[in-house]
Protein backbone atom coordinates (compact mmCIF):
# COMPACT_ATOMS: atom_id res chain seq x y z
CA UNK A 1 0.00 0.00 0.00
CA UNK A 2 1.37 3.34 -1.07
CA UNK A 3 1.89 6.47 0.94
CA UNK A 4 -0.94 8.81 -0.04
CA UNK A 5 0.57 12.25 -0.66
CA UNK A 6 -1.45 14.84 1.24
CA UNK A 7 -1.46 17.98 -0.90
CA UNK A 8 -3.92 19.71 1.38
CA UNK A 9 -1.62 19.37 4.38
CA UNK A 10 1.51 20.43 2.47
CA UNK A 11 -0.31 23.41 0.99
CA UNK A 12 -1.60 24.45 4.41
CA UNK A 13 1.88 24.28 5.89
CA UNK A 14 3.44 26.35 3.08
CA UNK A 15 0.63 28.93 3.18
CA UNK A 16 1.14 29.35 6.93
CA UNK A 17 4.81 30.09 6.25
CA UNK A 18 3.86 32.60 3.53
CA UNK A 19 1.42 34.32 5.89
CA UNK A 20 3.97 34.52 8.66
CA UNK A 21 6.62 35.96 6.36
CA UNK A 22 4.13 38.49 4.94
CA UNK A 23 3.26 39.75 8.42
CA UNK A 24 6.86 40.86 8.89
CA UNK A 25 6.88 43.36 6.03
CA UNK A 26 4.47 46.16 6.92
CA UNK A 27 3.58 46.41 3.24
CA UNK A 28 1.22 44.13 1.34
CA UNK A 29 2.14 41.95 -1.65
CA UNK A 30 -0.43 42.69 -4.36
CA UNK A 31 -1.80 40.09 -6.78
CA UNK A 32 -3.90 41.32 -9.72
CA UNK A 33 -6.07 38.83 -11.57
CA UNK A 34 -7.84 39.53 -14.86
CA UNK A 35 -10.83 37.43 -15.83
CA UNK A 36 -12.54 37.88 -19.19
CA UNK A 37 -16.15 36.71 -19.54
CA UNK A 38 -18.25 34.63 -17.20
CA UNK A 39 -17.00 31.04 -17.48
CA UNK A 40 -18.28 29.45 -14.23
CA UNK A 41 -15.19 27.29 -13.60
CA UNK A 42 -12.84 30.26 -14.15
CA UNK A 43 -14.95 32.37 -11.80
CA UNK A 44 -14.60 29.77 -9.05
CA UNK A 45 -10.82 29.59 -9.56
CA UNK A 46 -10.49 33.37 -9.46
CA UNK A 47 -12.64 33.65 -6.33
CA UNK A 48 -10.48 31.04 -4.60
CA UNK A 49 -7.34 32.95 -5.53
CA UNK A 50 -8.81 36.17 -4.18
CA UNK A 51 -9.98 34.50 -0.96
CA UNK A 52 -6.61 32.85 -0.31
CA UNK A 53 -4.70 36.06 -1.08
CA UNK A 54 -6.82 38.04 1.39
CA UNK A 55 -6.41 35.35 4.08
CA UNK A 56 -2.63 35.72 3.78
CA UNK A 57 -2.79 39.48 4.20
CA UNK A 58 -2.14 40.22 0.52
CA UNK A 59 -3.86 42.89 -1.46
CA UNK A 60 -6.09 41.38 -4.13
CA UNK A 61 -7.23 43.12 -7.30
CA UNK A 62 -9.70 41.29 -9.55
CA UNK A 63 -10.56 42.90 -12.88
CA UNK A 64 -13.68 41.36 -14.39
CA UNK A 65 -13.81 42.29 -18.06
CA UNK A 66 -16.66 41.62 -20.48
CA UNK A 67 -16.55 38.61 -22.83
CA UNK A 68 -16.66 40.97 -25.85
CA UNK A 69 -13.70 43.15 -24.85
CA UNK A 70 -11.34 43.72 -27.78
CA UNK A 71 -7.80 42.40 -27.80
CA UNK A 72 -6.44 45.94 -27.71
CA UNK A 73 -8.77 46.78 -24.81
CA UNK A 74 -7.40 43.85 -22.83
CA UNK A 75 -3.82 44.80 -23.69
CA UNK A 76 -4.49 48.30 -22.34
CA UNK A 77 -5.75 46.85 -19.05
CA UNK A 78 -2.62 44.71 -18.69
CA UNK A 79 -0.39 47.69 -19.43
CA UNK A 80 -2.06 49.65 -16.67
CA UNK A 81 -1.18 46.85 -14.23
CA UNK A 82 2.38 46.61 -15.64
CA UNK A 83 2.84 50.32 -14.88
CA UNK A 84 1.15 50.30 -11.48
CA UNK A 85 3.94 50.29 -8.88
CA UNK A 86 1.62 48.80 -6.29
CA UNK A 87 0.92 45.65 -8.35
CA UNK A 88 3.56 42.96 -7.85
CA UNK A 89 2.00 40.01 -9.67
CA UNK A 90 -0.30 39.74 -12.69
CA UNK A 91 -2.35 36.71 -13.71
CA UNK A 92 -4.65 36.56 -16.73
CA UNK A 93 -7.04 33.67 -16.19
CA UNK A 94 -7.06 31.23 -19.13
CA UNK A 95 -8.75 30.25 -21.36
CA UNK A 96 -9.55 33.55 -23.06
CA UNK A 97 -12.41 34.06 -25.54
CA UNK A 98 -11.65 32.84 -29.07
CA UNK A 99 -11.38 36.31 -30.63
CA UNK A 100 -8.39 37.10 -28.42
CA UNK A 101 -4.89 35.85 -29.21
CA UNK A 102 -3.72 34.38 -25.88
CA UNK A 103 -0.06 34.36 -26.90
CA UNK A 104 -0.15 38.08 -27.62
CA UNK A 105 -1.83 38.71 -24.27
CA UNK A 106 0.72 36.65 -22.35
CA UNK A 107 3.55 38.49 -24.11
CA UNK A 108 2.08 41.80 -22.91
CA UNK A 109 2.56 40.88 -19.24
CA UNK A 110 5.77 42.39 -17.88
CA UNK A 111 8.10 39.38 -17.32
CA UNK A 112 8.99 40.52 -13.79
CA UNK A 113 5.30 40.49 -12.81
CA UNK A 114 4.41 37.26 -14.67
CA UNK A 115 3.25 35.21 -11.68
CA UNK A 116 2.35 32.18 -13.87
CA UNK A 117 5.73 32.13 -15.67
CA UNK A 118 3.90 31.94 -19.00
CA UNK A 119 5.80 34.73 -20.83
CA UNK A 120 8.14 33.21 -23.48
CA UNK A 121 11.15 35.02 -22.05
CA UNK A 122 10.46 33.41 -18.66
CA UNK A 123 9.77 29.99 -20.18
CA UNK A 124 13.02 30.39 -22.14
CA UNK A 125 14.92 30.91 -18.93
CA UNK A 126 13.65 27.56 -17.68
CA UNK A 127 14.69 26.00 -21.00
CA UNK A 128 18.29 27.21 -20.60
CA UNK A 129 18.29 26.60 -16.82
CA UNK A 130 19.02 30.20 -15.94
CA UNK A 131 17.62 32.11 -12.99
CA UNK A 132 13.89 32.80 -13.27
CA UNK A 133 11.69 35.31 -11.45
CA UNK A 134 9.31 32.51 -10.41
CA UNK A 135 8.42 29.00 -11.62
CA UNK A 136 5.03 28.06 -13.09
CA UNK A 137 2.52 27.22 -10.38
CA UNK A 138 1.43 23.63 -11.00
CA UNK A 139 4.91 22.26 -11.86
CA UNK A 140 6.34 24.11 -8.85
CA UNK A 141 3.59 22.60 -6.67
CA UNK A 142 4.45 19.10 -7.89
CA UNK A 143 8.14 19.59 -7.11
CA UNK A 144 7.18 20.94 -3.66
CA UNK A 145 5.21 17.74 -2.99
CA UNK A 146 8.12 15.52 -4.05
CA UNK A 147 10.51 17.50 -1.89
CA UNK A 148 8.18 17.44 1.12
CA UNK A 149 8.00 13.64 0.92
CA UNK A 150 11.77 13.28 0.49
CA UNK A 151 11.51 12.00 -3.09
CA UNK A 152 14.64 12.87 -5.08
CA UNK A 153 14.32 13.03 -8.87
CA UNK A 154 18.04 13.01 -9.65
CA UNK A 155 18.97 10.15 -11.97
CA UNK A 156 15.41 8.81 -11.98
CA UNK A 157 13.31 8.02 -15.02
CA UNK A 158 10.55 10.62 -14.95
CA UNK A 159 7.73 10.20 -17.45
CA UNK A 160 5.39 13.14 -17.99
CA UNK A 161 2.19 12.63 -19.99
CA UNK A 162 0.70 15.78 -21.53
CA UNK A 163 2.61 18.60 -23.26
CA UNK A 164 0.54 21.63 -22.24
CA UNK A 165 2.20 24.99 -21.73
CA UNK A 166 0.73 25.14 -18.23
CA UNK A 167 2.01 21.79 -16.92
CA UNK A 168 3.77 19.19 -19.10
CA UNK A 169 6.25 21.29 -21.07
CA UNK A 170 7.63 23.44 -18.25
CA UNK A 171 7.53 20.53 -15.78
CA UNK A 172 9.60 18.31 -18.08
CA UNK A 173 12.25 21.05 -18.37
CA UNK A 174 12.27 21.63 -14.62
CA UNK A 175 12.78 17.90 -14.03
CA UNK A 176 15.70 17.88 -16.49
CA UNK A 177 17.17 20.83 -14.59
CA UNK A 178 16.96 18.68 -11.46
CA UNK A 179 18.90 15.91 -13.23
CA UNK A 180 16.03 13.53 -13.92
CA UNK A 181 15.97 11.54 -17.17
CA UNK A 182 12.76 12.80 -18.70
CA UNK A 183 10.37 11.43 -21.31
CA UNK A 184 7.54 13.74 -22.36
CA UNK A 185 4.62 11.74 -23.79
CA UNK A 186 1.50 13.06 -25.53
CA UNK A 187 -1.48 12.06 -27.63
CA UNK A 188 0.68 10.88 -30.54
CA UNK A 189 3.07 8.79 -28.42
CA UNK A 190 3.38 5.17 -29.54
CA UNK A 191 3.76 2.28 -27.10
CA UNK A 192 2.77 4.49 -24.20
CA UNK A 193 2.46 1.57 -21.80
CA UNK A 194 6.07 0.48 -22.37
CA UNK A 195 7.25 3.99 -21.59
CA UNK A 196 5.08 4.49 -18.52
CA UNK A 197 6.22 1.08 -17.23
CA UNK A 198 9.80 2.39 -17.20
CA UNK A 199 8.91 5.38 -15.00
CA UNK A 200 10.28 5.71 -11.50
CA UNK A 201 8.19 8.87 -11.31
CA UNK A 202 5.04 8.98 -13.44
CA UNK A 203 3.21 12.28 -13.83
CA UNK A 204 -0.05 12.37 -15.74
CA UNK A 205 -1.60 15.66 -16.91
CA UNK A 206 -4.05 14.46 -19.53
CA UNK A 207 -7.56 15.09 -18.22
CA UNK A 208 -8.96 11.62 -18.99
CA UNK A 209 -10.51 9.83 -16.01
CA UNK A 210 -8.85 6.49 -15.08
CA UNK A 211 -6.51 6.71 -18.09
CA UNK A 212 -3.59 5.23 -16.14
CA UNK A 213 -4.27 1.58 -15.26
CA UNK A 214 -2.33 -0.68 -12.95
CA UNK A 215 -0.60 -2.53 -15.80
CA UNK A 216 0.91 0.75 -17.04
CA UNK A 217 2.74 1.46 -13.78
CA UNK A 218 5.96 -0.09 -12.46
CA UNK A 219 5.86 -1.59 -8.96
CA UNK A 220 7.16 0.90 -6.43
CA UNK A 221 6.80 3.93 -8.71
CA UNK A 222 5.84 7.41 -7.55
CA UNK A 223 2.58 8.46 -9.23
CA UNK A 224 1.51 12.09 -9.50
CA UNK A 225 -1.98 12.75 -10.87
CA UNK A 226 -2.54 16.24 -12.28
CA UNK A 227 -5.80 15.42 -14.08
CA UNK A 228 -9.05 16.75 -12.67
CA UNK A 229 -12.28 15.90 -14.49
CA UNK A 230 -15.76 16.48 -13.14
CA UNK A 231 -18.36 13.87 -14.14
CA UNK A 232 -22.09 14.50 -14.65
CA UNK A 233 -22.76 13.89 -10.96
CA UNK A 234 -20.17 16.51 -10.07
CA UNK A 235 -17.68 13.96 -8.73
CA UNK A 236 -13.99 14.68 -9.39
CA UNK A 237 -11.80 12.06 -11.04
CA UNK A 238 -8.09 12.01 -11.72
CA UNK A 239 -6.18 10.52 -14.67
CA UNK A 240 -5.12 7.56 -12.54
CA UNK A 241 -7.28 4.57 -11.67
CA UNK A 242 -6.40 5.20 -8.03
CA UNK A 243 -8.01 2.12 -6.46
CA UNK A 244 -6.16 -0.34 -8.70
CA UNK A 245 -2.83 1.51 -8.76
CA UNK A 246 -2.44 2.39 -5.08
CA UNK A 247 -1.52 -1.12 -3.94
CA UNK A 248 1.58 -1.52 -6.10
CA UNK A 249 3.23 1.91 -6.01
CA UNK A 250 5.31 3.64 -3.31
CA UNK A 251 3.66 7.08 -3.36
CA UNK A 252 0.51 8.37 -5.03
CA UNK A 253 -1.46 11.64 -5.08
CA UNK A 254 -5.25 11.44 -4.64
CA UNK A 255 -7.81 13.51 -6.57
CA UNK A 256 -9.01 15.71 -5.02
CA UNK A 257 -6.49 16.68 -2.34
CA UNK A 258 -3.22 15.94 -4.15
CA UNK A 259 -1.80 18.31 -6.76
CA UNK A 260 -4.93 20.54 -6.82
CA UNK A 261 -4.28 22.50 -3.61
CA UNK A 262 -0.63 23.00 -4.58
CA UNK A 263 -1.32 25.23 -7.58
CA UNK A 264 -2.88 28.01 -5.54
CA UNK A 265 -0.22 27.54 -2.87
CA UNK A 266 2.55 28.09 -5.46
CA UNK A 267 0.67 31.13 -6.78
CA UNK A 268 0.80 32.71 -3.34
CA UNK A 269 4.48 31.83 -2.89
CA UNK A 270 5.17 33.38 -6.30
CA UNK A 271 3.27 36.56 -5.43
CA UNK A 272 5.33 36.95 -2.27
CA UNK A 273 8.53 36.19 -4.19
CA UNK A 274 7.82 38.85 -6.86
CA UNK A 275 6.94 41.32 -4.11
CA UNK A 276 10.29 40.66 -2.44
CA UNK A 277 12.21 40.98 -5.72
CA UNK A 278 10.53 44.29 -6.51
CA UNK A 279 11.16 45.66 -3.03
CA UNK A 280 14.73 44.41 -2.63
CA UNK A 281 16.21 47.86 -2.25
CA UNK A 282 13.58 48.66 0.33
CA UNK A 283 14.40 45.62 2.51
CA UNK A 284 18.19 45.87 2.30
CA UNK A 285 19.74 47.10 5.49
N1 LIG B 1 -6.29 28.26 -16.22
C1 LIG B 1 -6.10 27.01 -15.75
N2 LIG B 1 -4.96 26.94 -15.03
C2 LIG B 1 -4.42 28.18 -15.06
C3 LIG B 1 -3.24 28.73 -14.48
O1 LIG B 1 -2.44 28.07 -13.81
N3 LIG B 1 -3.04 30.05 -14.72
C4 LIG B 1 -3.89 30.79 -15.47
N4 LIG B 1 -3.58 32.08 -15.67
N5 LIG B 1 -4.98 30.31 -16.02
C5 LIG B 1 -5.25 29.01 -15.80
Amino acid sequence: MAVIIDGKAVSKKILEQVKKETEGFGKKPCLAVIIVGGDPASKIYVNNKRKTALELGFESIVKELPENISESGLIEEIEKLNNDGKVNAILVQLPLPKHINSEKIIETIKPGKDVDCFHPSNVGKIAVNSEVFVYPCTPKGILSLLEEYGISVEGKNAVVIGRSNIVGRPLSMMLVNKNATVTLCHSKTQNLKEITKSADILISAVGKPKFIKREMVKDGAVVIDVGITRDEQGKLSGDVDFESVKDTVSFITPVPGGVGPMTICSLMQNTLELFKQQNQRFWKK
Side-chain angles (χ1 to χ4, degrees):
M1 177 66 195
V3 172
I4 314 281
I5 293 180
D6 188 345
K8 251 181 160 168
V10 176
S11 161
K12 186 163 176 264
K13 183 175 136 186
I14 293 176
L15 288 176
E16 276 164 10
Q17 289 164 357
V18 170
K19 184 172 181 182
K20 215 167 163 192
E21 197 178 345
T22 302
E23 280 164 3
F25 287 123
K27 191 177 169 191
K28 290 184 174 194
C30 176
L31 169 65
V33 176
I34 293 183
I35 175 167
V36 181
D39 175 63
S42 290
K43 275 186 144 177
I44 294 171
Y45 296 142
V46 170
N47 279 338
N48 285 338
K49 287 166 188 170
R50 176 177 177 79
K51 193 170 150 256
T52 309
L54 292 174
E55 280 166 8
L56 299 180
F58 291 2
E59 183 162 352
S60 161
I61 295 173
V62 176
K63 284 205 177 191
E64 296 184 42
L65 302 174
E67 178 88 24
N68 62 0
I69 191 170
S70 65
E71 192 175 276
S72 58
L74 178 55
I75 287 174
E76 250 174 59
E77 292 294 336
I78 295 169
E79 274 166 357
K80 275 190 228 162
L81 298 173
N82 284 342
N83 297 326
D84 185 340
K86 184 181 72 179
V87 172
N88 306 114
I90 302 171
L91 181 149
V92 178
Q93 186 66 30
L94 302 178
L96 289 168
K98 290 209 167 48
H99 68 278
I100 293 174
N101 178 340
S102 302
E103 285 167 17
K104 205 166 157 190
I105 295 305
I106 287 167
E107 286 178 36
T108 305
I109 300 172
K110 191 174 173 179
K113 294 189 178 187
D114 172 26
V115 73
D116 273 317
C117 190
F118 286 171
H119 191 292
S121 85
N122 288 333
V123 179
K125 286 183 182 176
I126 302 177
V128 295
N129 199 14
S130 79
E131 201 178 328
V132 295
F133 294 107
V134 290
Y135 286 101
C137 297
T138 303
K140 176 185 167 92
I142 292 167
L143 295 186
S144 298
L145 285 178
L146 295 176
E147 191 178 320
E148 186 66 28
Y149 281 81
I151 301 162
S152 163
V153 305
E154 181 159 307
K156 304 273 178 64
N157 285 337
V159 173
V160 178
I161 318 177
R163 54 181 155 176
S164 72
N165 289 346
I166 296 182
V167 184
R169 268 176 220 267
L171 176 61
S172 57
M173 294 191 290
M174 287 159 70
L175 287 164
V176 169
N177 294 346
K178 287 193 168 288
N179 300 321
T181 303
V182 179
T183 309
L184 178 54
C185 302
H186 47 77
S187 53
K188 300 283 189 284
T189 297
Q190 295 181 355
N191 304 322
L192 181 66
K193 184 179 151 191
E194 276 161 40
I195 300 170
T196 58
K197 265 274 187 196
S198 73
D200 302 310
I201 300 171
L202 178 61
I203 303 170
S204 184
V206 175
K208 286 189 191 161
K210 302 197 175 155
F211 179 67
I212 303 293
K213 308 279 188 211
R214 181 173 181 155
E215 63 271 17
M216 295 170 73
V217 183
K218 180 161 94 174
D219 285 0
V222 174
V223 178
I224 305 291
D225 190 348
V226 190
I228 297 186
T229 313
R230 198 176 285 277
D231 68 16
E232 277 132 38
Q233 285 79 45
K235 190 174 173 286
L236 295 178
S237 294
D239 287 351
V240 178
D241 186 2
F242 183 88
E243 284 308 316
S244 78
V245 170
K246 72 176 197 305
D247 297 323
T248 56
V249 298
S250 57
F251 293 87
I252 187 167
T253 61
V255 175
V259 174
M262 296 306 296
T263 299
I264 202 161
C265 168
S266 305
L267 175 65
M268 300 300 142
Q269 287 180 293
N270 282 358
T271 300
L272 177 60
E273 176 59 31
L274 294 178
F275 167 81
K276 289 200 293 191
Q277 289 169 12
Q278 290 160 31
N279 287 280
Q280 239 166 27
R281 253 183 326 142
F282 184 72
W283 309 128
K284 270 193 189 138
K285 297 233 167 71

